[in-house]
């Protein structure tokens, strides 16, 4: 993966394939680190699966019975001497945390998180996404449930809405201070 | 320019009008984009973005865009299937530019771009 936003897309696809209906993405930046947290209410993993997912990180030679996504993320985190953690409870959900040391020469860039969010909203509109980005004492929050409530019978992935969201999210990229929905977003039901 | 709830409410109204006006004979089309780890790392996201942009530019409605995971042909990613009616065409090794061409040629002009299809590439 070229950047963190691609990892986010990949990790959220895992949550979607685990039947999650709520997914919260949190990015927290300081001058030294980028921390990423992805929480879902999907089917979770058994201890057995969790061990398998984590195993290839520590064994040098391993035919991969499970996929590549998480090991790739782990590798990119490890390259910056960062930290990585998965917490998962069967039938409850999964929390993945990754910490990148930004100033490390091998740290991949954050990338275009806006494009990742738009892609997710486009292909899986029924999931409720909460996206939170904190940086320099400011925060941006996007809660698709709030948007859907206003749109009512108009689908959030209607091409006109996507185009509008794209412009709005673009705005946020240019000037961090501007956000549509600030704070007050509730997690879960 | 600050976006607000009022903007969103306006978008809702405009979109509703468009949905109601929509020509019932419009092409019924579905695009299934490979978004497993292999697809994403090969560049599925910029392809998807290009498709969405071209669909918007051409004012197409009735186009459904959905995702699928890894289908076991990782070296052909980015790939997507285009369904028009019951007919399925699989496009492989896509780029944003080729993806736009598919929207214009296949969906608007109803001409399959053979050159980009799995049958042609796998020959
Ligand atoms: N959010 C999640 N919820 C439930 N299971 C997950 C989640 N993320 C990963 N997994 C499990 O871990 C496995 C490995 O994930 P990953 O490394 O991304 O590879 P892949 O998605 O290709 O299988 C998945 O197949 C799945 O069983
Ligand atoms: Mg995966």
């Amino acid at each position: 993966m070229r950047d963190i936003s691609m990892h986010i897309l990949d990790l959220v696809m895992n949550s979607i394939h685990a039947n999650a209906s709520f997914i919260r993405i949190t990015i927290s930046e300081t001058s030294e680190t980028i921390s990423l947290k992805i929480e879902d209410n999907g089917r979770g993993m058994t201890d057995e699966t969790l061990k398998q997912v984590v195993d290839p990180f520590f064994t040098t030679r391993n035919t991969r019975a499970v996929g590549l996504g998480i090991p790739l993320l782990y590798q990119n985190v490890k390259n910056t001497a960062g930290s990585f953690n998965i917490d998962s409870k069967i039938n409850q959900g999964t929390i993945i945390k990754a910490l990148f040391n930004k100033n490390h020469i091998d740290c991949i860039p954050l990338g275009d998180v806006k494009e990742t969010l738009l892609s997710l909203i486009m292909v899986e509109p029924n999931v409720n996404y909460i996206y939170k980005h904190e940086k320099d004492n400011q925060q941006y929050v996007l809660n698709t449930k709030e948007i859907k409530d206003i749109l009512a019978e108009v689908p959030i992935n209607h091409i006109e809405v996507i185009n509008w969201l794209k412009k709005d999210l673009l705005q946020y990229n240019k000037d961090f201070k501007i956000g549509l929905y600030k704070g007050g977003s509730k997690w879960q039901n | 320019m600050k976006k607000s709830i009022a903007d969103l409410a306006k978008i809702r109204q405009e979109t509703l009008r468009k949905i109601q006006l929509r020509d019932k004979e419009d092409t019924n089309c579905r695009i299934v984009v490979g978004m497993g780890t292999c697809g994403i790392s090969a560049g599925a996201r910029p392809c998807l973005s290009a498709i969405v942009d071209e669909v918007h530019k051409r004012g197409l409605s009735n186009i459904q865009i959905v995702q699928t995971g890894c289908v076991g042909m990782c070296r052909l990613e980015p790939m997507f299937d285009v369904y028009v009616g019951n007919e399925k065409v699989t496009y492989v090794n896509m780029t944003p530019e080729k993806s736009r061409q598919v929207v214009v040629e296949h969906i608007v002009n109803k001409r399959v771009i053979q050159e980009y299809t799995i049958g042609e590439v796998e020959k």
Side-chain angles (χ1 to χ4, degrees), chain A:
Chain A
M1 297 286 167
R2 267 192 313 281
D3 59 47
I4 296 172
S5 74
M6 294 291 186
H7 278 299
I8 296 173
L9 182 56
D10 188 46
L11 292 168
V12 173
M13 291 314 294
N14 281 346
S15 302
I16 287 167
H17 293 140
N19 271 328
S21 58
F22 288 90
I23 299 169
R24 180 161 60 184
I25 304 161
T26 310
I27 298 172
S28 205
E29 284 187 78
T30 68
S31 54
E32 275 110 46
T33 59
I34 300 176
S35 90
L36 169 67
K37 183 164 74 176
I38 294 178
E39 300 160 271
D40 71 52
N41 66 346
R43 77 170 84 89
M45 287 176 251
T46 59
D47 289 347
E48 189 72 10
T49 310
L50 193 55
K51 232 192 278 163
Q52 275 189 306
V53 171
V54 176
D55 242 9
F57 308 160
F58 302 106
T59 53
T60 43
R61 228 172 296 269
N62 203 320
T63 39
R64 266 185 240 289
V66 285
L68 266 178
I70 292 172
L72 284 175
L73 171 68
Y74 181 73
Q75 190 57 50
N76 275 329
V77 164
K78 208 167 70 171
N79 287 347
T80 77
S83 63
F84 179 80
N85 179 267
I86 307 181
D87 203 357
S88 190
K89 282 204 181 62
I90 196 83
N91 294 328
Q92 285 185 32
T94 300
I95 302 174
I96 295 191
K97 288 184 195 159
L99 183 87
F100 297 84
N101 284 306
K102 215 154 122 169
N103 301 325
H104 198 289
I105 187 154
D106 290 324
C107 190
I108 54 171
L110 184 56
D112 197 339
V113 185
K114 166 200 61 149
E115 278 295 332
T116 284
L117 291 168
L118 285 169
S119 301
L120 289 166
I121 293 169
M122 188 70 217
V123 297
E124 291 294 335
N126 293 332
V127 171
N128 287 328
Y129 303 99
I130 294 179
Y131 168 63
K132 189 165 159 189
H133 191 159
E134 298 167 326
K135 186 183 178 181
D136 307 330
N137 290 324
Q138 292 171 17
Q139 71 168 20
Y140 175 88
V141 179
L142 185 88
N143 180 347
T144 61
K145 176 73 168 62
E146 292 178 23
I147 296 175
K148 286 187 216 174
D149 285 348
I150 297 167
L151 289 171
E153 68 273 61
V154 172
I156 191 168
N157 69 339
H158 189 284
I159 199 84
E160 297 296 332
V161 178
I162 289 287
N163 196 55
W164 181 79
L165 281 172
K166 187 170 187 162
K167 281 193 249 155
D168 175 59
L169 293 168
L170 255 173
Q171 195 69 22
Y172 138 75
N173 265 6
K174 271 189 274 167
D175 177 359
F176 203 84
K177 283 174 219 157
I178 297 173
L180 179 55
Y181 301 104
K182 283 193 173 146
S185 298
K186 286 205 191 71
W187 169 237
Q188 294 263 325
N189 26 9

Side-chain angles (χ1 to χ4, degrees), chain A residues 5 10 116 124 150 153, chain B residues 3 8 12 18 37 45 67:
Chain A
S5 74
D10 188 46
T116 284
E124 291 294 335
I150 297 167
E153 68 273 61
Chain B
K3 303 286 175 188
L8 190 52
R12 176 178 172 271
K18 281 190 183 151
T37 301
R45 196 188 71 185
Q67 58 83 21

Side-chain angles (χ1 to χ4, degrees), chain B residues 37-119:
Chain B
T37 301
C38 48
I40 293 168
S41 57
R45 196 188 71 185
C47 290
L48 170 65
S49 174
I51 294 169
V52 170
D53 191 58
E54 202 60 40
V55 165
H56 183 256
K57 264 197 204 151
R58 305 276 157 180
L60 303 173
S61 49
N62 261 347
I63 313 263
Q64 205 195 342
I65 303 174
V66 297
Q67 58 83 21
T68 183
C70 173
V71 290
M73 295 182 276
C74 309
R75 73 200 163 78
L76 298 179
E77 299 282 357
M79 55 194 282
F80 56 80
D81 297 326
V82 177
Y83 292 85
V84 178
N86 289 324
E87 228 162 283
K88 167 184 161 182
V89 176
T90 302
Y91 289 103
V92 301
N93 294 145
M94 295 309 281
T95 62
E97 193 40 50
K98 287 180 178 176
S99 305
R100 287 178 189 278
Q101 289 169 18
V102 169
V103 173
V104 176
E105 283 303 309
H106 189 142
I107 299 170
V108 180
N109 298 332
K110 318 271 185 252
R111 280 197 304 255
V112 174
I113 308 180
Q114 288 299 342
E115 195 193 335
Y116 302 160
T117 61
I118 189 164

